[in-house]
Amino acid sequence: MMIKIALGQTKIFRKPFTGVMHALVFWGFCVILIGSLGMMIDGVTGTIDSLSFLGIVYKIFLISGDVFAWIVLLAICVFFVRRVFLNVKRFSGIEMKHKSHQDANFALSLIFVLMVTLIWMNILAYALSPVEMKEYFPVNSFFGEFFTSLDPSLLKTGFEINWWTHIIIIFIFMNILPYSKHFHVFMSIPNVLLSRLEPLGKMPNMENVTKEVKMIMDPNLAYAAPAASDAPPERFGVKDAEDVTWKNYLDSLACTECGRCTSVCPANITGKMLSPRKVMMNLRARMKVKGPQLLKNKSFEDQKSLVRDYISTEELWACTTCNACAKECPININHPLLILDLRRYLVMEESSAPSGLNLVFANIQNNGAPWQFSAEDRMLWANNLMMNN
Ligand code: SF4
Ligand code: SF4
């Protein structure tokens, strides 16, 4: 799944144009990353081309890095124009604050400068290189030819200015990533690797609650006897950040805020308050407030909770559990699992389900069926049939 969805970027291709652009940027990043790693090792050890021991593999990475630098630069320009000048609906929403847009534009600007400095490094390196190295620059050799007649010391100074700008921006980028939505650069591949492998429509039940429901339905069954391990859970469902699973939290950290989930959500499309992207962003925001305090003091109380203060009950009950969001998400985030757990808390701890559902619950408890009829009356409908026969 990781090879197919994360490295192959297969889900992204559902929107062909942006999909291909995004995939090219991702693959370009993977290739250029190797070159950046080489730069860091060179910088620390004072060597040149420290990764050259990789032989032909290193050569392929360098050559494709020269090509991808231009591809990534062009794709970044297209993304920038889309974000700033085209009114793409999925980039907006109540959860998309000014900071989210600033964050995205800032990251695009940094990547733009990274690619420009990389291209200049390659152009000047070509002009400085001995003949046998010139094949490493299949694209930038075209521009490098214009500089071969310049003074080598001037070329070297130009190369060093771009080298330092490039490496400093890489370090700035790496340091701001954990505080920005671009943290997905680190988190999305592990998140896909750790995807839930069960079918999307399979809802996880609480085992001891399932047993109790079965006991209501048929008290004679053998499984009705409670096992010694049937200790009551500390919490039914999710009320606040500490109740979520580690995977829910990883999902929220990996979210790229791309809005693909919200753009296919039938509740959102029909004007309801629910936005699956907002659910993930709210969990991340709540964990940022509560997480450090919990780690430091073991407990933290600010009279707020994820349910209601961050995600309203109206949003939660608008979900049809269709799973379109989870299917569309390019990094396999599973929103309905969290939404179901938040609703589970409302139902089982606060008894605050919508009135229609409360009636169903009462019927199941009293009659063993969702309808308002007793189980003994179940065959009444067949009375006339039997008499006629
Ligand atoms: S599962 Fe819920 S949140 Fe996801 S797309 Fe369907 S209605 Fe929207
Ligand atoms: S949950 Fe997935 S689809 Fe939705 S905004 Fe986040 S990354 Fe995009």
Side-chain angles (χ1 to χ4, degrees):
M1 191 178 285
M2 192 193 77
I3 291 169
K4 192 172 116 188
I5 293 176
L7 302 183
Q9 298 272 292
T10 46
K11 280 190 168 185
I12 292 272
F13 291 128
R14 284 193 206 139
K15 297 231 171 0
F17 178 70
T18 45
V20 170
M21 291 296 226
H22 190 281
L24 287 171
V25 169
F26 173 77
W27 294 326
F29 250 80
C30 293
V31 168
I32 292 167
L33 195 70
I34 304 292
S36 306
L37 197 65
M39 280 177 73
M40 289 181 206
I41 298 172
D42 287 348
V44 172
T45 58
T47 52
I48 294 174
D49 282 336
S50 46
L51 295 183
S52 55
F53 70 90
L54 294 172
I56 184 76
V57 178
Y58 184 58
K59 193 173 167 185
I60 291 170
F61 271 115
L62 282 186
I63 292 172
S64 32
D66 191 68
V67 180
F68 269 118
W70 278 101
I71 294 175
V72 174
L73 184 71
L74 288 176
I76 291 297
C77 293
V78 173
F79 288 160
F80 209 80
V81 169
R82 282 185 84 232
R83 275 202 167 266
V84 178
F85 298 108
L86 305 183
N87 193 15
V88 181
K89 191 166 177 287
R90 75 178 160 87
F91 293 152
S92 58
I94 48 165
E95 66 276 25
M96 297 305 285
K97 307 277 182 280
H98 185 56
K99 188 182 169 299
S100 304
H101 296 293
Q102 269 183 331
D103 194 15
N105 291 340
F106 184 59
L108 284 179
S109 314
L110 284 187
I111 300 170
F112 179 84
V113 181
L114 275 179
M115 291 307 113
V116 169
T117 48
L118 178 61
I119 287 169
W120 270 112
M121 273 161 59
N122 283 2
I123 290 173
L124 298 173
Y126 173 86
L128 281 165
S129 299
V131 181
E132 67 274 13
M133 294 287 288
K134 294 213 185 278
E135 59 181 355
Y136 284 63
F137 308 97
V139 179
N140 287 309
S141 55
F142 175 77
F143 303 98
E145 281 298 332
F146 296 105
F147 296 89
T148 44
S149 55
L150 288 185
D151 179 1
S153 65
L154 193 62
L155 293 175
K156 200 162 174 283
T157 309
F159 179 86
E160 285 180 359
I161 289 172
N162 282 289
W163 193 96
W164 277 106
T165 314
H166 189 82
I167 201 85
I168 288 170
I169 289 178
I170 287 178
F171 285 128
I172 292 174
F173 201 40
M174 282 168 68
N175 278 283
I176 60 167
L177 275 186
Y179 306 98
S180 86
K181 85 183 191 82
H182 286 83
F183 197 39
H184 77 264
V185 172
F186 289 142
M187 303 304 289
S188 43
I189 295 180
N191 199 57
V192 179
L193 177 71
L194 297 165
S195 301
R196 181 175 182 247
L197 296 176
E198 288 176 286
L200 281 181
K202 187 174 175 195
M203 295 182 185
N205 288 325
M206 294 178 78
E207 207 186 324
N208 36 13
V209 176
T210 308
K211 263 186 193 170
E212 282 197 36
V213 173
K214 286 182 176 174
M215 280 166 67
I216 293 171
M217 298 291 191
D218 186 355
N220 300 321
L221 291 177
Y223 52 67
S229 61
D230 281 353
E234 281 180 20
R235 166 87 73 215
F236 291 95
V238 167
K239 179 188 180 191
D240 207 351
E242 65 270 32
D243 304 322
V244 302
T245 63
W246 61 268
K247 185 61 173 68
N248 292 144
Y249 185 44
L250 193 67
D251 279 352
S252 77
L253 288 177
C255 176
T256 68
E257 300 176 16
C258 67
R260 285 178 173 83
C261 52
T262 300
S263 71
V264 295
C265 171
N268 187 275
I269 293 169
T270 50
K272 314 283 188 309
M273 272 183 76
L274 176 64
S275 160
R277 168 175 58 189
K278 178 176 173 291
V279 172
M280 282 301 139
M281 290 171 70
N282 285 157
L283 170 58
R284 186 169 59 200
R286 181 60 181 155
M287 195 62 102
K288 269 190 184 159
V289 171
K290 202 162 186 184
Q293 298 295 333
L294 283 176
L295 286 175
K296 213 159 99 192
N297 307 321
K298 297 276 181 269
S299 69
F300 172 71
E301 199 42 73
D302 61 355
Q303 308 302 325
K304 287 187 179 171
S305 63
L306 186 61
V307 178
R308 292 208 172 82
D309 294 299
Y310 285 73
I311 306 169
S312 68
T313 54
E314 189 181 341
E315 289 167 75
L316 293 175
W317 290 113
C319 178
T320 64
T321 60
C322 66
N323 278 301
C325 50
K327 191 163 178 4
E328 189 67 17
C329 178
I331 51 173
N332 279 5
I333 287 174
N334 197 320
H335 323 68
L337 283 186
L338 176 60
I339 292 173
L340 282 175
D341 263 335
L342 291 160
R343 297 210 299 214
R344 182 173 278 151
Y345 163 77
L346 288 172
V347 171
M348 301 190 73
E349 296 220 4
E350 291 194 359
S351 299
S352 62
S355 54
L357 278 182
N358 276 334
L359 185 65
V360 171
F361 297 147
N363 287 336
I364 290 175
Q365 191 161 17
N366 297 331
N367 307 326
W371 301 283
Q372 287 170 296
F373 308 107
S374 140
E376 286 85 55
D377 297 340
R378 190 166 282 160
M379 290 306 290
L380 286 185
W381 65 275
N383 277 353
N384 286 343
L385 292 176
M386 285 190 274
M387 274 191 275
N388 291 342
N389 282 340

